[in-house]
Amino acid sequence: MTTRRTLLALVAAGGLLMAACGGSDGSTATTAGGSNTTAAVVDTTGGTAAPDTTAPSGPKILRVGRVTSIDGWKGDGCLSGASLETYPIVYDTLLRIAPDGLGPAPSLANSVEWDAATNSYTIALRPDLKFSDGSVLDAEDVKFSIEQWKAGPVSGIFYTTVDSVAIVDPQTLTVKMTGPDSFFPNLLMWCTSTVYPLDFGGLSEADYFKKPIGAAPFMVDEWRNPGPTETIVLKPNPNHWAGPGGGSNLEGIEIRSSLDQSQQLVAFDAGELDLVEVVDPFTAKDLDKTKIVAPVPVPITLLGLNVKRDVFADPAVRAAVSQAIDRESLASLLEGNGQAATGVLPVNVPGWSQGTTDYTFDADAARAVLEPLGLSVELVYDSASKTTAAAAEVLGAQLGDVGVDVKLSAVDNATSIGRASSGDFDMVILQLTAISPTIFDPMSSLFGLYYPWVGADGTVITDSYFGGTATFDAAAQKAAVDAMQDDARAQNAILGLYNFSVVFAVSPRVQGFAPFQYGMYYPDSISMT
């Protein structure tokens, strides 16, 4: 159960985050810690509060610029950062990320409760739910949706721990798991867990996904020119349980995709865009600081060393490479919007723990090992981010200082991922984030993708992941994370470099914009003047 979740986390880090690696001072206060976010969620009154709508009159269309495009409308194909942002706006999920970013909160479901005696979750839906076409949303629709998730050729592997689904009554269903599973509530927040009407509302699957019927705050009005330069026009769902647009005062959302972020920022300065997603910090530092919003750092930039190649087969060589890296110097590239890595996991994610060891910087010790070897290696990295490119330059210089000749190979994001996944590299810069409030989310990316790519021994991380997600005990989960972090630093096949913030450019017209540290936001919290 690794491939799909790891791909999603990678592309959230790649399609959404590899374009920019930093931000300004954090605008949301969140701390990393050992919170057990997999306990039962019970709240019969929770939801998104309606924002103040007393602002001056005028068109309240949120105009958004982004550098990625959606993967169609099928939840099973949710790969890009754009899909991660957009699907929950149109479909809604049973749970959503809580406002503080530290756990789940109710959405279509009022509660999701675990029963250890039967290894099952009971899902209690809100009463009187409707889809955007006015049809009733009940347990039959959710059961049908879960069956679609399990059958998905891309994402279905995530739901293999779902054994069966039974309807108790129109607002209640039970999901029996194959065993103890503390991860399932987090899956219910993902863009892969989209809620569809039974039998796709009487439409063929192909016709349904041309213009889907959902139960989220907004609904699809237009989808023009699908692809890198697409425009998506959304309008408020009049049948949403919290009111049209989820109770926001937005009259619509217009999302414009373009590969040229510089043009988007020109449009932003001209007042033609209200929000630009994921601004590179090298660009953000030149923008009006009052228009920059960035959560606390979460994503991490990693360096993968190919253990399958002779140059890095020796653990002592990999350890020396790690010692040669001045992580504080790399973090300084982020203009104060990042921090030196102490491990290989994103920080500020519930359940994060550093482990019992730490990285050390000792150029002299590294030189003593590496300089006699006369190594010559290639470093592959995604050139789309100016920050990543700068980090590659600094990293090359640091390794050069200890006797390693580094050839820098700047490639596009797809080529970088392709070379990494095929093992065609000596060293490669990778990025990793979380998309839900549990550290086991990004851990799955490491053991499912990155460890195999670099040829690392996956014994400890696999045991840590499956052991951690099969228990609700916070101490046991922390021990699993610590073991994994220590093992990564012992192998030095994947090295943490720095954690960073995701930066947004936000117009003063936009009020209540509160992005999560995971690089996403809910627009129904937004009001516009």
Side-chain angles (χ1 to χ4, degrees):
M1 53 184 299
T2 62
T3 305
R4 174 59 186 90
R5 187 180 306 154
T6 55
L7 279 173
L8 182 60
L10 171 66
V11 180
L16 175 63
L17 298 176
M18 290 184 80
C21 303
S24 61
D25 292 338
S27 61
T28 58
T30 308
T31 58
S35 302
N36 180 7
T37 63
T38 55
V41 181
V42 183
D43 184 348
T44 59
T45 61
T48 303
D52 180 12
T53 58
T54 59
S57 61
K60 295 180 175 59
I61 308 296
L62 180 67
R63 300 161 300 174
V64 181
R66 62 169 53 144
V67 294
T68 54
S69 55
I70 65 170
D71 306 289
W73 290 107
K74 196 170 186 178
D76 182 64
C78 182
L79 289 171
S80 74
S83 297
L84 174 68
E85 297 278 9
T86 308
Y87 288 9
I89 304 175
V90 170
Y91 290 113
D92 216 342
T93 47
L94 293 169
L95 298 175
R96 60 163 51 189
I97 300 171
D100 64 5
L102 299 181
S107 191
L108 294 178
N110 264 335
S111 65
V112 176
E113 298 182 358
W114 172 250
D115 180 6
T118 60
N119 283 332
S120 63
Y121 282 97
T122 297
I123 300 174
L125 300 177
R126 292 181 184 275
D128 303 322
L129 290 173
K130 292 183 179 180
F131 287 101
S132 56
D133 65 351
S135 60
V136 172
L137 189 164
D138 60 20
E140 290 277 5
D141 302 293
V142 176
K143 183 177 186 293
F144 171 77
S145 298
I146 295 174
E147 291 168 350
Q148 300 306 304
W149 307 344
K150 283 177 61 66
V154 180
S155 304
I157 199 164
F158 289 162
Y159 306 92
T160 55
T161 57
V162 174
D163 182 59
S164 61
V165 181
I167 294 175
V168 177
D169 59 48
Q171 270 70 54
T172 313
L173 60 159
T174 58
V175 181
K176 184 173 177 57
M177 312 304 290
T178 56
D181 189 327
S182 59
F183 194 84
F184 184 67
N186 294 280
L187 276 177
L188 299 182
M189 295 177 254
W190 285 21
C191 60
T192 57
S193 300
T194 45
V195 177
Y196 309 124
L198 177 65
D199 296 329
F200 298 113
L203 299 173
S204 69
E205 185 173 340
D207 285 342
Y208 175 83
F209 286 116
K210 290 178 183 177
K211 193 173 183 180
I213 300 164
F218 293 87
M219 53 192 289
V220 180
D221 188 27
E222 297 181 60
W223 183 27
R224 301 195 294 264
N225 194 33
T229 58
E230 69 189 8
T231 297
I232 299 172
V233 180
L234 306 177
K235 61 183 179 181
N237 171 8
N239 296 302
H240 191 264
W241 62 266
S248 75
N249 75 345
L250 295 180
E251 298 170 27
I253 302 174
E254 181 177 293
I255 303 169
R256 309 175 195 173
S257 295
S258 168
L259 296 177
D260 189 346
Q261 190 170 84
S262 61
Q263 290 186 356
Q264 292 179 347
L265 291 172
V266 169
F268 175 79
D269 286 336
E272 297 170 7
L273 290 175
D274 305 300
L275 173 66
V276 179
E277 298 174 351
V278 192
V279 182
D280 190 285
F282 272 41
T283 303
K285 67 182 180 180
D286 296 325
L287 299 177
D288 182 346
K289 297 299 184 269
T290 66
K291 298 180 181 179
I292 293 297
V293 175
V296 293
V298 166
I300 189 169
T301 296
L302 304 166
L303 178 66
L305 308 181
N306 194 341
V307 175
K308 293 173 284 189
R309 293 196 170 177
D310 290 343
V311 66
F312 291 129
D314 186 349
V317 171
R318 302 195 301 270
V321 169
S322 181
Q323 280 187 309
I325 299 172
D326 182 354
R327 292 169 173 82
E328 293 291 346
S329 178
L330 289 172
S332 69
L333 298 171
L334 299 171
E335 302 290 327
N337 303 307
Q339 61 192 65
T342 60
V344 296
L345 290 172
V347 294
N348 293 313
V349 179
W352 178 90
S353 185
Q354 178 177 323
T356 63
T357 60
D358 200 354
Y359 292 123
T360 59
F361 170 51
D362 190 335
D364 291 337
R367 189 177 298 108
V369 174
L370 298 172
E371 195 167 54
L373 300 177
L375 301 179
S376 181
V377 299
E378 180 191 22
L379 172 59
V380 178
Y381 66 95
D382 175 18
S383 61
S385 166
K386 296 178 182 178
T387 308
T388 301
E393 293 279 355
V394 172
L395 191 59
Q398 290 179 356
L399 293 176
D401 185 55
V402 298
V404 180
D405 179 42
V406 179
K407 174 189 174 184
L408 300 180
S409 291
V411 298
D412 61 78
N413 181 58
T415 300
S416 176
I417 294 174
R419 291 193 59 181
S421 62
S422 66
D424 181 22
F425 67 94
D426 297 322
M427 300 190 300
V428 61
I429 292 180
L430 302 166
Q431 291 179 332
L432 177 67
T433 191
I435 59 172
S436 56
T438 172
I439 200 62
F440 294 101
D441 170 341
M443 188 187 292
S444 69
S445 299
L446 288 168
F447 88 78
L449 274 183
Y450 295 168
Y451 268 53
W453 288 359
V454 302
D457 183 344
T459 302
V460 173
I461 190 172
T462 302
D463 290 345
S464 295
Y465 174 76
F466 285 108
T469 56
T471 180
F472 291 84
D473 182 74
Q477 291 179 335
K478 180 181 184 302
V481 176
D482 283 340
M484 181 263 144
Q485 291 270 49
D486 288 345
D487 175 67
R489 284 187 291 262
Q491 292 197 59
N492 289 305
I494 295 176
L495 308 175
L497 300 179
Y498 54 85
N499 295 87
F500 59 94
S501 299
V502 182
V503 184
F504 298 85
V506 186
S507 165
R509 291 190 66 218
V510 178
Q511 303 296 310
F513 176 69
F516 297 103
Q517 61 266 48
Y518 315 109
M520 64 171 293
Y521 59 93
Y522 294 126
D524 53 355
S525 67
I526 294 174
S527 61
M528 294 189 67
T529 60

